[in-house]
Amino acid sequence: MAGFAGLTFLALCLPFLGAVVAPALTRALGHNAAWLLALVPALAFLHFATFLPAIAGGGSVVAGFDWVPSLDLRFSWLLDGLSLTFALLITGIGALIVLYAGGYLKGHADQGRFFSFIFLFMGSMLGLVVSNGLLMLFVFWELTSITSFLLIGFDHRREASRRAALQALVVTGGGGLALLAGLLLIWNLTGSTELSQLLTSDDRLRASPLYLVVLILVLGGAFTKSAQFPFHFWLPNAMEAPTPVSAYLHSATMVKAGVYLLMRLNPVMGGTEAWEIILPVFGGATLLVGTLLAIRQTDLKLKLAYTTVSSLGLLVMLTGFGSPYAVEAAVLYLVAHSLFKGALFMVAGIIDHETGTRDITRLRGLRAAMPLTFVTALGAAISMGGLPPFFGFLAKEEIYTALAHGDLRSITFTVVAVIGNALMFAVAFAVALKPFLGTLSKTPNKPHEAPPLLWLGPVVLALLGLAFALFSNLSHAYVSSPMATAVKGRETTISISLEPHLGLPLALSLLTVVIGIVVYWQLDRARFAMSIVMRALGPGPNHGFDSFIGGLVTFAYAVTRFLQPGRLRTYTTVTFVCLGATLLIPAFQYGELPSMPSWPVDIQWHEAAIFLISVIGLAAVVAARDRLTAIVSLGIQGFAVALIFLLFGAPDLAFTQFMVETLSVVILALVMTRLKLSVTDRRPPARMVVDATIAIACGLGFALFLMRTTEAPLDARLTDFFNHYSKLIAHGANVVNVILVDFRGTDTFGEIAVVTISGLAILALVRLQAGTERKLVDDAPDHPADIGVKR
């Protein structure tokens, strides 16, 4: 079992290893490196496929190793019907995407970098869906945001790509912070650090008075990740990424992460009134908004992107609907969507790659030049349209079975589903038919069939959509039913097949097809009508995001100018005011003042002499007429402190203090000779009073703090530890030295590194200034008569 757990860990690491070798392999083999690189996700797919029989039999696999045992944190993974299905989709479609990217980016100068990014993204998403630990899940959740930023902004020379990448990162990153707060609350309320523990906690989370807070925070993460209204705008803009990214992003990975999270938490958070109101309402709104905006587009990728938004809305709506068969419908539609949407995106990329355009209004008659692409697109569109004999038909039938009931709520969401599915039907066949039928139109490039690296992926996905429906008994047994069982938290069996089932669901399917055909027939008018509506509505969330970022930058600039005005005196003053307030206010407010010593104080004459020297030094600093004298006088204070250390039995500390004071005075004196400062202190009297008050407050605060600290009983455990083990373990008799170079050796090394880096920076600045001065001297005229002579 331990060996099998090791293989699973290796499978999780394979994409990250692929990211390391991809650039070098691409430099050596060019685009043909895709054939070898595709083996990375393919091997991971084969490993996860070996779990299918055990998971189908009702089991689950939990394994891993300790991470931070003191906090009960483990690096562990959970494989059940839900996570295994996602793992297979991520690795299986990932292998096809790698091959597709090999052909699509053939000859691209940064193809190796692209492969590296796609593998990092794949590994992050794979880690997310199999994570058992809550913290591990969040880490991979954020990694998907970061790696998608790299992929969306791959063509970083284009402003649109940079904007889309930043927008995706801001939206999903902000949702990630909300999710982190939600996961921490779940941890606090249930005491569970792992999903496998949480899923057996019954109603503990639902019964908590903080349930609604947790729900809102979790939905904040899920809705931003899965582009739910009103956070839907980032997903279509992500189409600035190359088509392989779009196909992978929309079919099996990041955009479904939010849906995965909702499905994963459904057994412990679902079934409540809030859950069954918020999810269907926002999901239904997203379904309608996505399909209506898809009708308006003319770019093939944008049309498909908006239908992805609508499909995610449908999945969220079904996950939260709460009726019998709703979860089963969501499971079936998720698998079907992964297959047909991945295929259609790759088809759109093939059309763009071979013709030079994705504008549906400029594409006609490609069927003869690209017959295989046409058949593939048609198969995927049939599944997306919910027609037999593809898997999408089974999903749509189950959707209407789940929604079609007699109450007002069910009727409302059934109408929403019919409208959304009908519009998706129209968009699917617009993408699959309009570019291929009719008379061949002129395109920037002469159309021809794509090479195998490009058509292999969509063909496989389209055929899988057909095979999953034809052999539905097997697909349900190994995929759909185990997945539904994990989402529901109880044994569930899905049995729907291609056999006709007369009744209301079939009637609703026929109504969907009729409406879809009408919209397809009048697609140009529908597009024009949507354009009028969008102009009437004015700027949407996308414009709102730009306004928000602009306002945020303006606010940040104002705050920065207030807090960082560029005056060292202001920084110093604020720092010491805060320091004095921190020391004094708690002491007076909470009664933590030390007890004052009785008078007269018992003090030896030589100790009094040292204090007198310190006072004389202080008077010399205050009375100094120039800065250099003040700096030298300041050293008297440090030497007096060093003498006190020496008298009280700390010669090492005294020696260190002597060295620090000596070097400080020397360095400050040298710096003073380089800075162009006035010789005397020209502060006005009012300013000097303020500075003196701040200085006295800080000094008094430290004095009171140290006096209060020394009144507390000394905990000698550390002293005893160091005294006992310094000689025994570190073989050193000088305890202070052993602490610095052994027990705190890493800390000391870090301090030395900081000093070294600071010294190098200072040296660079000094050399830069010296070089500038030499250049000014060299550029100066040798003689007044040379002024005006061109050199």
Side-chain angles (χ1 to χ4, degrees):
M1 185 65 182
F4 214 59
L7 288 176
T8 302
F9 179 71
L10 178 60
L12 294 174
C13 293
L14 276 177
F16 297 105
L17 296 175
V20 174
V21 303
L25 202 59
T26 305
R27 281 194 299 269
L29 301 177
H31 72 282
N32 287 316
W35 294 105
L36 288 178
L37 292 173
L39 293 176
V40 172
L43 289 173
F45 174 86
L46 291 176
H47 173 75
F48 286 114
T50 60
F51 290 98
L52 283 172
I55 302 301
S60 62
V61 177
V62 179
F65 50 86
D66 290 336
W67 185 7
V68 186
S70 60
L71 296 178
D72 193 26
L73 294 178
R74 286 172 49 81
F75 187 91
S76 58
W77 48 89
L78 167 65
L79 288 176
D80 58 6
L82 178 61
S83 56
L84 181 60
T85 300
F86 267 93
L88 292 173
L89 290 173
I90 291 165
T91 53
I93 297 179
L96 299 176
I97 292 294
V98 170
L99 293 174
Y100 183 81
Y104 192 85
L105 295 174
K106 179 181 178 180
H108 197 290
D110 294 322
Q111 190 176 36
R113 181 166 63 93
F114 178 85
F115 280 133
S116 185
F117 289 168
I118 204 77
F119 277 125
L120 289 174
F121 181 66
M122 185 187 303
S124 303
M125 191 65 200
L126 186 60
L128 189 160
V129 299
V130 303
S131 291
N132 187 33
L134 296 179
L135 185 58
M136 181 178 163
L137 183 147
F138 172 75
V139 169
F140 282 113
W141 183 281
E142 291 301 283
L143 279 177
T144 60
S145 295
I146 295 170
T147 51
S148 67
F149 169 80
L150 297 175
L151 286 170
I152 296 169
F154 176 71
D155 190 3
H156 56 272
R157 297 174 184 84
R158 294 175 55 243
E159 182 180 355
S161 295
R162 297 194 300 272
R163 177 186 178 274
L166 179 63
Q167 187 180 71
L169 182 64
V170 169
V171 174
T172 59
L177 294 177
L179 176 63
L180 175 61
L183 293 178
L184 291 176
L185 274 177
I186 291 174
W187 183 359
N188 181 265
L189 295 174
T190 64
S192 302
T193 61
E194 295 187 335
L195 288 169
S196 55
Q197 301 169 357
L198 180 64
L199 294 175
T200 59
S201 62
D202 299 324
D203 289 335
R204 193 184 311 172
L205 194 55
R206 279 186 284 252
S208 170
L210 293 176
Y211 167 78
L212 187 59
V213 176
V214 175
L215 177 61
I216 292 173
L217 291 172
V218 169
L219 292 183
F223 282 8
T224 51
K225 203 76 158 183
S226 286
Q228 296 300 288
F229 179 85
F231 307 108
H232 63 282
F233 54 87
W234 74 264
L235 186 54
N237 290 334
M239 292 304 97
E240 296 296 336
T243 299
V245 177
S246 304
Y248 199 36
L249 198 74
H250 287 248
S251 60
T253 53
M254 178 174 159
V255 296
K256 288 194 174 71
V259 174
Y260 166 81
L261 181 66
L262 296 176
M263 289 182 169
R264 173 56 73 200
L265 296 178
N266 180 67
V268 292
M269 296 190 70
T272 65
E273 185 176 355
W275 180 275
E276 295 183 357
I277 291 176
I278 297 175
L279 268 66
V281 168
F282 278 89
T286 305
L287 171 60
L288 293 179
V289 169
T291 50
L292 290 171
L293 291 176
I295 292 295
R296 184 187 176 218
Q297 308 304 317
T298 58
D299 185 296
L300 291 176
K301 279 179 64 175
L302 277 178
K303 292 180 83 68
L304 293 173
Y306 277 108
T307 59
T308 297
V309 171
S310 61
S311 295
L312 294 170
L314 180 57
L315 287 169
V316 170
M317 184 178 80
L318 291 170
T319 302
F321 195 71
S323 69
Y325 304 109
V327 166
E328 291 89 327
V331 165
L332 292 173
Y333 188 75
L334 187 145
V335 175
H337 178 266
S338 298
L339 300 177
F340 67 67
K341 189 56 64 72
L344 285 174
F345 261 109
M346 285 191 262
V347 165
I350 291 173
I351 294 173
D352 184 24
H353 192 270
E354 307 306 331
T355 66
T357 181
R358 297 195 306 263
D359 190 343
I360 199 171
T361 62
R362 299 176 58 189
L363 294 166
R364 289 291 185 275
L366 298 176
R367 181 180 56 180
M370 307 172 68
L372 182 59
T373 304
F374 169 61
V375 173
T376 303
L378 187 59
I382 291 173
S383 185
M384 182 174 172
L387 298 178
F390 282 80
F391 201 61
F393 171 74
L394 304 186
K396 189 173 67 174
E397 291 294 296
E398 199 79 347
I399 290 171
Y400 291 142
T401 301
L403 298 177
H405 300 286
D407 58 286
L408 180 61
R409 176 175 179 266
S410 299
I411 293 172
T412 301
F413 286 107
T414 300
V415 171
V416 170
V418 169
I419 295 173
N421 283 331
L423 295 178
M424 280 197 281
F425 178 98
V427 172
F429 283 97
V431 172
L433 295 180
K434 287 189 175 293
F436 296 97
L437 302 182
T439 305
L440 182 65
S441 60
K442 186 177 181 181
T443 56
N445 300 331
K446 183 179 179 181
H448 56 84
E449 191 56 84
L453 278 173
L454 287 177
W455 58 252
L456 184 61
V459 167
V460 169
L461 292 179
L463 290 176
L464 283 175
L466 177 62
F468 270 48
L470 294 177
F471 303 99
S472 58
N473 56 334
L474 291 176
S475 61
H476 293 331
Y478 287 101
V479 178
S480 309
S481 294
M483 186 176 178
T485 297
V487 177
K488 279 192 168 185
R490 62 179 184 273
E491 185 68 30
T492 303
T493 302
I494 299 177
S495 58
I496 189 171
S497 66
L498 289 174
E499 297 177 7
H501 298 80
L502 300 179
L504 183 57
L506 183 60
L508 291 172
S509 293
L510 294 175
L511 177 61
T512 300
V513 172
V514 171
I515 297 174
I517 292 173
V518 172
V519 175
Y520 174 83
W521 178 43
Q522 298 293 328
L523 188 60
D524 292 337
R525 292 185 178 181
R527 184 186 304 121
F528 179 72
M530 275 305 303
S531 299
I532 295 176
V533 171
M534 293 303 297
R535 282 196 296 269
L537 291 175
N542 192 37
H543 177 77
F545 173 83
D546 291 335
S547 300
F548 169 76
I549 294 297
L552 185 63
V553 170
T554 302
F555 174 74
Y557 178 79
V559 171
T560 302
R561 295 306 302 162
F562 176 75
L563 297 177
Q564 303 284 333
R567 293 173 59 87
L568 182 59
R569 174 181 295 177
T570 303
Y571 301 157
T572 307
T573 302
V574 171
T575 299
F576 281 102
V577 166
C578 293
L579 178 61
T582 303
L583 292 169
L584 289 176
I585 292 176
F588 285 96
Q589 183 174 356
Y590 298 106
E592 293 295 330
L593 293 172
S595 57
M596 292 295 105
S598 59
W599 294 92
V601 179
D602 184 16
I603 185 171
Q604 301 295 322
W605 68 268
H606 56 276
E607 295 172 347
I610 294 173
F611 282 113
L612 180 60
I613 293 172
S614 178
V615 172
I616 293 172
L618 176 62
V621 172
V622 174
R625 295 294 185 91
D626 58 82
R627 298 178 189 273
L628 191 58
T629 303
I631 290 172
V632 174
S633 302
L634 190 63
I636 299 174
Q637 317 295 315
F639 283 113
V641 172
L643 288 174
I644 293 174
F645 290 155
L646 188 62
L647 288 176
F648 284 89
D652 288 350
L653 192 56
F655 176 75
T656 303
Q657 181 70 16
F658 278 125
M659 293 297 297
V660 168
E661 285 301 322
T662 302
L663 289 174
S664 298
V665 171
V666 171
I667 292 172
L668 282 173
L670 290 174
V671 169
M672 288 296 298
T673 64
R674 305 288 297 184
L675 296 176
K676 297 178 180 179
L677 299 174
S678 60
V679 177
T680 59
D681 185 359
R682 297 182 178 179
R683 285 177 295 176
R687 178 70 191 184
M688 295 178 71
V689 170
V690 171
D691 291 346
T693 303
I694 296 173
I696 293 171
C698 290
L700 179 62
F702 272 114
L704 295 175
F705 176 75
L706 291 174
M707 291 172 65
R708 186 69 179 88
T709 302
T710 54
E711 287 181 353
L714 176 65
D715 187 346
R717 284 179 295 175
L718 276 179
T719 304
D720 296 338
F721 173 84
F722 288 128
N723 287 335
H724 179 72
Y725 288 106
S726 292
K727 186 73 173 178
L728 184 63
I729 297 179
H731 308 290
N734 189 315
V735 177
V736 175
N737 288 350
V738 169
I739 291 173
L740 290 175
V741 302
D742 198 307
F743 290 110
R744 291 181 55 218
T746 304
D747 182 59
T748 304
F749 178 77
E751 293 173 355
I752 295 172
V754 169
V755 173
T756 303
I757 294 171
S758 301
L760 292 174
I762 293 171
L763 179 63
L765 290 174
V766 170
R767 288 187 173 181
L768 179 63
Q769 182 179 3
T772 304
E773 292 175 352
R774 282 196 300 270
K775 186 175 186 302
L776 291 174
V777 171
D778 293 341
D779 290 345
D782 297 330
H783 189 274
D786 293 334
I787 296 176
V789 178
K790 185 177 181 181
R791 286 175 172 251

